[in-house]
Amino acid sequence: MKQKKAQQPGTVSRILAYAGKHKPFIYLSLFLSALSTIAMLIPYVTIFYVMRDIISAYAAGNDVNMQHMIFYGLVALGSAAAGFVLYFSALMCSHITAFNLMGNLTKRLTETFARLPVGWHTTHASGTTRKVFEKNVHSLEDLIAHILPDVVQNIVSPIAILFLMLFFDWRFGLISLIPLVIAFVLQSVLMGMAAKSGFMQQYEDALEKMNNAGTEYIRGISVIKTFNQSVYRFKDFYTSIINYKDYVLAYSISWENGYSIFLALLKAGFVFLVPAAILLVGTIGSGASYVQFLYSFIFYLALSPVVYTMMIKIMYSSNLRVMGGDALTRIEAILNEKPAPEPAQSIMPKQFDIAFRDVVFSYECNEHESQSPARKNAINGITLTVPEHSLTALVGPSGGGKTTLVNLLGRFWELDSGAIEIGGVNITDIKTDDLMHMVSFVFQENKLFKETIFENIRYGKKDASREDVLAALQTAECMDIIEKLPQGIDTVYGTKGTYLSGGEAQRIAIARALLQDAPIVVLDEATSFADAENEHKIKKTFSALLKNKTVIMIAHRLSSVVNADAICVITDGTLAERGTHRELLAKNGVYASMWNNFQTGISWKLAAN
């Protein structure tokens, strides 16, 4: 006998699971919203009795009882005021839940982003991530704060209105239900078609593509304008906007007929009431029956706008619930990402030699790439030992796997197989925070935050004093940079035109690494953005930065690694050669060919004509 699949919780239940201890407020909100719906309908009941007394008195030739009119007015005013207060209170309670839900989700997402390895962030578009973090979380706030109280009203209102319709005159009540039933059926069909078409997912996908294109365009605007590619690159951004517009427009037009009929049925309920009244008026006599028929007919005409408002709110809330479900799915896709497994307690190495043991790694492919018959490994079985307090250089063609290999040392990604050890301890047995204190990375492109230079450097060691930061700057040959800044190390980078050149930013990054004082240092093309003067100062700094450290240096400029303790040639994800500069030249292999090409390149001169 097959076991039944566990029923998945609904969208609202899944969302409220993130509300924590403030979840009960939403239930109070729903109760108050239901009471407000009933209170808001009481004035329509008083309208019936007002019309009854006025028309009856007029037909009988009597004066209208003003005490009754005042009583009905007070009841209508009091119930309307009570309905407003109850609904306001319901919204207050729902907003308490919604804002705490937003806070919890934002905190969870932030914690998830912090736990995910660096590799995840480099392979996921920032525009998509930002949209989930901002827009999708905010859409859930709208759903809980505004839509859920309205959903309760949408449940209570039809029941209450159905009761009113059948209570005062069942004939007019049944006739009034005809357009309502047709509208409900039409709405269900339209919503079913929308769900089957997968519109919401496609809509969000198109929106993400547009966000990504916009983000990339803005980020790369300096390069785009420099190479006079504004028109071509904007064309990509423009195309994503047009695709989004065309899709949404086509979808909206597809609803044109159905939605028009839906609105017509709701707004033109009297179209059914008027002919029905003409047919029914002949079946009644004169006197009291005729008077009752007249005020009942007027009452049902007055009730039609309430039905219209109710149905519009139902349709609007249904659409937002679909959007909320899609938003939650995208949020949970990030929350369910598995961070790198962490040991319960770090095993701290006592030495800082590094061993790569038969390391195999391939980048995660997308859905389209996964259908290809074969996928090439970025690192294909590299075994390499880096002795403690040594300088090991990684050289080779671009795309050979050098940067990937050192990134694996920082657990930016998890290995497919093999192991990486520091001092004989597998890096998977070291907590990521502890590992990041052991390994200091100086990348070819370093990020400076929009904070003071002091705080930018203190990222390497958050408990460092001002004197420690100044000492690191002095050692890193950065005092000339600090002296030209308006507020010295208290200058906020990126404000009022305060920016640094690529070489200067690299020197600040090296000061950050100096302050961290990690026993292992990884230099990934650390002088790539530096001019001659900055490169000279960076190389002077290396003597202090690399002293008594285990160093792995990636370089394309071979002249900078000739004195390395070992040079490793990485090609196609494999270790092709290893040795000192002299040993590799003597082998007359890959490195010797690279060296000859390098020598030819530096001897090149611009000839006249």
Side-chain angles (χ1 to χ4, degrees):
M1 191 173 175
K2 290 184 179 180
Q3 288 185 340
K4 291 184 177 179
K5 286 185 178 181
Q7 189 174 4
Q8 293 293 326
T11 298
V12 174
S13 299
R14 288 165 56 206
I15 295 173
L16 289 177
Y18 297 98
K21 63 182 181 179
H22 295 90
K23 185 176 178 180
F25 282 97
I26 195 63
Y27 298 122
L28 177 59
S29 170
L30 301 182
F31 176 70
L32 294 174
S33 181
L35 291 181
S36 74
T37 304
I38 297 172
M40 290 290 193
L41 289 175
I42 291 177
Y44 290 95
V45 178
T46 61
I47 290 174
F48 175 83
Y49 287 107
V50 167
M51 289 190 300
R52 183 198 65 179
D53 287 4
I54 292 176
I55 295 174
S56 297
Y58 179 79
N62 298 326
D63 293 334
V64 177
N65 190 326
M66 296 306 299
Q67 289 185 342
H68 286 179
M69 296 297 106
I70 294 173
F71 173 74
Y72 295 144
L74 291 175
V75 169
L77 179 63
S79 59
F84 174 80
V85 172
L86 287 169
Y87 187 63
F88 178 79
S89 302
L91 289 181
M92 289 291 290
C93 292
S94 66
H95 275 76
I96 290 174
T97 303
F99 289 151
N100 282 278
L101 171 75
M102 278 186 69
N104 292 341
L105 275 176
T106 302
K107 184 178 179 182
R108 286 278 300 273
L109 282 170
T110 303
E111 291 173 346
T112 301
F113 288 143
R115 289 197 305 269
L116 289 174
V118 177
W120 186 93
H121 295 281
T122 60
T123 55
H124 286 72
S126 58
T128 300
T129 305
R130 181 176 179 179
K131 174 184 168 294
V132 171
F133 197 80
E134 295 177 352
K135 185 177 183 297
N136 290 144
V137 171
H138 186 75
S139 66
L140 295 187
E141 185 270 334
D142 282 340
L143 178 63
I144 299 302
H146 300 279
I147 303 307
L148 276 189
D150 287 346
V151 167
V152 172
Q153 290 188 339
N154 297 338
I155 295 173
V156 174
S157 295
I159 298 173
I161 290 175
L162 179 62
F163 173 79
L164 291 178
M165 284 181 170
L166 299 179
F167 178 77
F168 293 109
D169 192 312
W170 65 270
R171 297 168 301 177
F172 282 126
L174 290 177
I175 293 168
S176 298
L177 284 177
I178 294 175
L180 199 60
V181 170
I182 297 174
F184 262 118
V185 172
L186 181 62
Q187 183 194 38
S188 300
V189 171
L190 293 175
M191 288 297 177
M193 290 171 59
K196 289 181 180 179
S197 68
F199 160 71
M200 198 53 61
Q201 181 179 350
Q202 296 174 46
Y203 166 82
E204 292 291 340
D205 289 343
L207 186 58
E208 284 185 357
K209 289 179 181 178
M210 184 172 64
N211 285 338
N212 287 337
T215 301
E216 292 303 315
Y217 180 76
I218 296 302
R219 283 184 172 179
I221 191 66
S222 57
V223 177
I224 292 168
K225 293 181 75 65
T226 299
F227 289 94
N228 199 26
Q229 296 294 308
S230 301
V231 174
Y232 299 101
R233 292 303 302 172
F234 182 75
K235 188 182 295 183
D236 295 339
F237 183 27
Y238 176 77
T239 300
S240 68
I241 297 173
I242 295 301
N243 289 340
Y244 172 77
K245 183 266 295 182
D246 288 344
Y247 179 76
V248 175
L249 181 61
Y251 181 80
S252 301
I253 292 175
S254 70
W255 280 66
E256 182 179 11
N257 295 331
Y259 191 62
S260 298
I261 296 171
F262 175 81
L263 292 180
L265 287 169
L266 296 181
K267 290 187 174 182
F270 65 90
V271 172
F272 292 84
L273 284 173
V274 171
I278 294 173
L279 292 174
L280 291 174
V281 73
T283 64
I284 61 174
S286 58
S289 298
Y290 180 80
V291 170
Q292 182 178 355
F293 176 85
L294 181 61
Y295 61 66
S296 294
F297 173 66
I298 296 174
F299 170 74
Y300 279 93
L301 285 179
L303 197 62
S304 296
V306 183
V307 176
Y308 167 73
T309 303
M310 175 191 71
M311 290 297 296
I312 290 297
K313 290 177 71 174
I314 290 176
M315 191 163 193
Y316 178 68
S317 61
S318 298
N319 186 46
L320 284 184
R321 275 188 293 171
V322 174
M323 292 179 66
D326 184 82
L328 181 61
T329 299
R330 293 172 187 272
I331 292 170
E332 288 184 332
I334 293 178
L335 294 178
N336 293 333
E337 288 281 352
K338 294 182 180 179
E342 294 279 354
Q345 188 172 0
S346 288
I347 301 176
M348 303 301 288
K350 299 188 184 308
Q351 294 179 314
F352 297 101
D353 56 294
I354 304 167
F356 297 88
R357 303 192 185 280
D358 197 20
V359 174
V360 176
F361 171 75
S362 57
Y363 288 101
E364 183 179 335
C365 60
N366 59 38
E367 186 177 345
H368 175 71
E369 291 171 335
S370 64
Q371 298 171 0
S372 61
R375 190 158 49 117
K376 187 177 179 181
N377 291 329
I379 302 296
N380 196 14
I382 288 182
T383 296
L384 171 65
T385 300
V386 178
E388 186 178 26
H389 300 161
S390 68
L391 170 59
T392 299
L394 302 183
V395 299
S398 297
K402 304 183 296 298
T403 299
T404 300
L405 186 65
V406 296
N407 286 346
L408 292 173
L409 175 62
R411 290 193 75 185
F412 289 12
W413 295 277
E414 295 300 294
L415 306 181
D416 293 347
S417 63
I420 301 176
E421 297 175 355
I422 296 176
V425 178
N426 195 312
I427 59 172
T428 58
D429 294 326
I430 306 172
K431 287 186 176 181
T432 303
D433 287 346
D434 294 329
L435 181 63
M436 289 296 99
H437 282 97
M438 292 180 197
V439 185
S440 179
F441 288 87
V442 180
F443 298 105
Q444 56 183 313
E445 184 175 359
N446 286 280
K447 172 69 176 177
L448 293 183
F449 300 97
K450 195 173 182 179
E451 295 185 20
T452 62
I453 299 298
F454 171 71
E455 290 297 339
N456 265 288
I457 295 174
R458 212 163 63 141
Y459 265 87
K461 189 178 180 182
K462 294 302 290 183
D463 59 349
S465 66
R466 193 177 182 88
E467 289 71 24
D468 294 333
V469 171
L470 287 171
L473 286 167
Q474 187 79 41
T475 306
E477 302 275 343
C478 291
M479 293 312 295
D480 60 320
I481 301 173
I482 302 304
E483 288 170 0
K484 70 181 182 180
L485 295 176
Q487 281 84 42
I489 62 171
D490 297 315
T491 302
V492 177
Y493 180 77
T495 58
K496 298 181 179 179
T498 303
Y499 293 96
L500 302 178
S501 68
E504 289 172 335
Q506 196 77 334
R507 287 158 61 191
I508 294 294
I510 291 173
R512 182 191 291 165
L514 275 168
L515 185 65
Q516 184 181 0
D517 195 26
I520 298 173
V521 178
V522 174
L523 302 172
D524 187 356
E525 286 293 326
T527 61
S528 60
F529 289 138
D531 55 25
E533 181 182 357
N534 279 302
E535 182 179 2
H536 173 68
K537 292 185 176 181
I538 289 172
K539 287 182 176 179
K540 283 178 62 180
T541 306
F542 282 169
S543 59
L545 175 62
L546 309 182
K547 187 177 181 180
N548 297 323
K549 301 287 194 301
T550 303
V551 182
I552 299 178
M553 180 178 182
I554 297 175
H556 285 107
R557 196 173 301 173
L558 298 184
S559 59
S560 62
V561 299
V562 292
N563 295 320
D565 298 305
I567 299 173
C568 300
V569 182
I570 308 294
T571 61
D572 295 325
T574 62
L575 177 60
E577 292 178 342
R578 176 177 177 170
T580 64
H581 175 68
R582 289 181 178 274
E583 291 170 347
L584 292 177
L585 287 180
K587 287 183 179 180
N588 199 28
V590 179
Y591 179 80
S593 176
M594 293 173 58
W595 178 257
N596 291 332
N597 290 334
F598 174 71
Q599 292 295 314
T600 302
I602 60 176
S603 64
W604 179 87
K605 295 180 180 179
L606 183 64
N609 299 324

